[in-house]
Amino acid sequence: MTEAPERAAGPPVSDADPFAHGVLLDPEPLHQALRGAGPVVYLSRYDVHALARYEQVHAALVDWQHFESGAGVGLANFRHEKPWRLPSLLLEADPPRHDAPRRALREILAPPALRRLRTTWHTVAEEIVDQVLAGGTEFDGVTALAEAFPLRAFPDAVGLGPDGRENLLPYGNMAFNAFGPRNDLVQTDAHRVAELSAWVNAQCAREALSKDGFGAAIWAAADRGDLTYEQAPLVVRSLLTAGVDTTVHGLAACLYAFARHPDEWRRLRQRPELARTAFDEAVRWQSPVQTFFRTATTDVAIAGTLIPKDTKILMFLGAANRDPDRWHDPDRFDLTRDPSGHVGFGMGIHQCVGQHVARLEAEALLTALARRVERMELTATPRRHPNNTLRSWTSLPLRIRPTA
Ligand code: 8QM
């Protein structure tokens, strides 16, 4: 009896480096090659199996029983390597330990809990847009809008004090690099790990937080016994790690999309209620979080390829979000499509718990812009910033035409 040929041959092998600067800055060519090579590709450089097609990425995301998060969702396997910080109780945990923190945070960030933020954030967004337009019609969309708005709205909503907020983006950049290999991007920030971690950890204490924010709500969940007092500060830390850079680069993706697609901006201006769909379509199209790993809990087959127990699987969310077998004309930013089902927020039990917060931020900023801006265009090539996980930007040089 001979083995089935595909089994004997094993999966296609690639020596590509998904974390090389060139690939991080322009990932689509690699994504296309990996999707084309097969449902599973072995990446020899990192000794991991990779998934780039929607079907397999989706299947791995929803199967937490075979693909665990507790061994870390980066390249490092926490069963063999010491993590750079205490593991997250949400992202880097599996049921049953994952469930109480998840339930507590889900309630705190659910749409009903966000209702009182809506008016505040629409006002903040209008102030920021007015202020930017008062300064002229040419500006950098990253600093003036994509960073400025969430950096004002979100830390206030968490209840952070006024000092040290400039540490949030560098901390996030470091944390998202840490999911990748220990390459030059990780080395560059190595001298700031202790300082930035100390600042973030200090902000998670009850005394550091206002009485009425998400942070206080997390501590109140501990008072009710929904969380332990040991868990509360780590759940606050999740907000500070996951809640800033992701939104900044999601909003930057929106600005980039609309600057490149003036017809879609016209459509949004006619129907501002499309703002949330526009944000999800931008998240699909750009995938601010590009990749995450899982670890096989047992020997498990994916599309006929054996993934050995305790080895890492790399999921290309960005590639799945542009898989032509799932999406019509996937490279097109298109407000008439239904982007739901994209895996830019993940899928399954770990799917982004802050997605309603992110959508509310996007809705506030995009509707404020839609009211004041008739057209936006790029005046120079936008610049991306390489990060091992995030598709991030340093500048989007924009020129806008204000409404009459
Ligand atoms: C990524 O610390 C955390 O809990 C955490 C960090 C990063 C993320 C999620 C959670 C997905 C945005």
Side-chain angles (χ1 to χ4, degrees):
M1 222 15 221
T2 54
E3 279 186 304
E6 66 271 25
R7 181 67 195 283
V13 178
S14 167
D15 70 351
D17 183 358
F19 303 99
H21 284 220
V23 175
L24 295 172
L25 296 173
D26 179 22
E28 273 85 26
L30 176 65
H31 291 174
Q32 188 177 353
L34 293 174
R35 279 192 310 257
V40 181
V41 181
Y42 179 72
L43 297 181
S44 53
R45 220 175 262 259
Y46 296 110
D47 186 26
V48 301
H49 288 89
L51 314 175
R53 295 184 182 176
Y54 182 89
E55 183 185 340
Q56 280 74 33
V57 169
H58 184 279
L61 282 169
V62 299
D63 185 358
W64 59 267
Q65 291 91 339
H66 289 106
F67 304 107
E68 67 176 337
S69 293
V73 298
L75 177 63
N77 186 329
F78 293 176
R79 312 248 177 267
H80 312 295
E81 282 179 66
K82 187 173 151 28
W84 71 282
R85 59 174 200 171
L86 280 178
S88 163
L89 301 178
L90 292 141
L91 183 74
E92 295 157 334
D94 301 296
R97 290 182 54 237
H98 161 267
D99 299 341
R102 171 77 189 200
R103 193 174 310 117
L105 195 56
R106 190 189 37 202
E107 276 164 31
I108 291 164
L109 303 180
L114 305 181
R115 231 171 263 146
R116 67 178 183 88
L117 275 176
R118 186 189 203 94
T119 353
T120 315
W121 282 2
H122 276 266
T123 309
V124 172
E126 276 167 21
E127 273 173 34
I128 286 178
V129 169
D130 285 351
Q131 197 183 322
V132 170
L133 297 200
T137 54
E138 292 192 22
F139 53 86
D140 178 13
V142 172
T143 47
L145 296 171
E147 290 182 356
F149 176 65
L151 281 178
R152 240 183 87 187
F154 188 71
D156 280 350
V158 174
L160 289 194
D163 298 334
R165 293 178 173 201
E166 68 281 2
N167 291 321
L168 287 167
L169 287 174
Y171 181 79
N173 185 58
M174 188 176 86
F176 283 97
N177 273 329
F179 295 118
R182 293 200 181 151
N183 57 12
D184 55 323
L185 294 171
V186 172
Q187 293 310 322
T188 303
D189 285 341
H191 68 289
R192 299 200 67 190
V193 175
E195 163 220 347
L196 291 169
S197 302
W199 181 81
V200 163
N201 293 340
Q203 309 318 305
C204 300
R206 191 165 211 169
E207 306 70 48
L209 296 158
S210 73
K211 299 274 176 277
D212 58 354
F214 296 142
I218 291 167
W219 280 98
D223 290 337
R224 292 193 302 271
D226 297 345
L227 293 173
T228 68
Y229 286 110
E230 289 70 42
Q231 289 174 318
L234 276 174
V235 175
V236 178
R237 194 193 67 179
S238 285
L239 291 184
L240 300 182
T241 314
V244 187
D245 304 61
T246 47
T247 338
V248 166
H249 298 297
L251 295 174
C254 291
L255 298 175
Y256 176 63
F258 284 120
R260 295 243 334 246
H261 301 81
D263 291 346
E264 299 303 277
W265 183 245
R266 210 166 300 129
R267 203 194 300 275
L268 179 74
R269 293 197 61 226
Q270 279 158 6
R271 295 187 52 201
E273 68 277 11
L274 285 175
R276 283 166 180 259
T277 306
F279 179 62
D280 272 85
E281 172 63 354
V283 170
R284 181 198 68 80
W285 187 59
Q286 289 292 302
S287 301
V289 175
Q290 285 275 306
T291 45
F292 266 129
F293 293 80
R294 292 290 188 259
T295 309
T297 56
T298 62
D299 286 356
V300 57
I302 301 179
T305 293
L306 177 84
I307 314 290
K309 175 182 160 80
D310 200 33
T311 65
K312 289 274 170 173
I313 299 103
L314 171 51
M315 305 174 297
F316 285 91
L317 309 180
N321 280 338
R322 290 186 181 217
D323 183 343
D325 286 345
R326 170 62 179 79
W327 309 97
H328 173 70
D329 202 359
D331 296 329
R332 197 183 133 67
F333 174 76
D334 178 1
L335 293 193
T336 67
R337 86 163 80 237
D338 176 5
S340 60
H342 73 74
V343 291
F345 287 128
M347 196 56 76
I349 64 166
H350 290 283
Q351 192 183 36
C352 180
V353 74
Q355 59 184 288
H356 307 291
V357 183
R359 287 200 190 95
L360 185 58
E361 290 180 61
E363 179 200 272
L365 186 62
L366 290 177
T367 47
L369 280 171
R371 219 170 283 143
R372 297 289 317 271
V373 173
E374 200 168 289
R375 208 190 133 77
M376 55 179 115
E377 62 191 354
L378 290 163
T379 56
T381 313
R383 284 210 320 275
R384 292 186 189 274
H385 169 72
N387 180 283
N388 283 334
T389 305
L390 293 173
R391 184 152 208 200
S392 72
W393 304 83
T394 38
S395 83
L396 278 169
L398 293 179
R399 179 188 302 124
I400 59 104
R401 188 197 299 149
T403 49

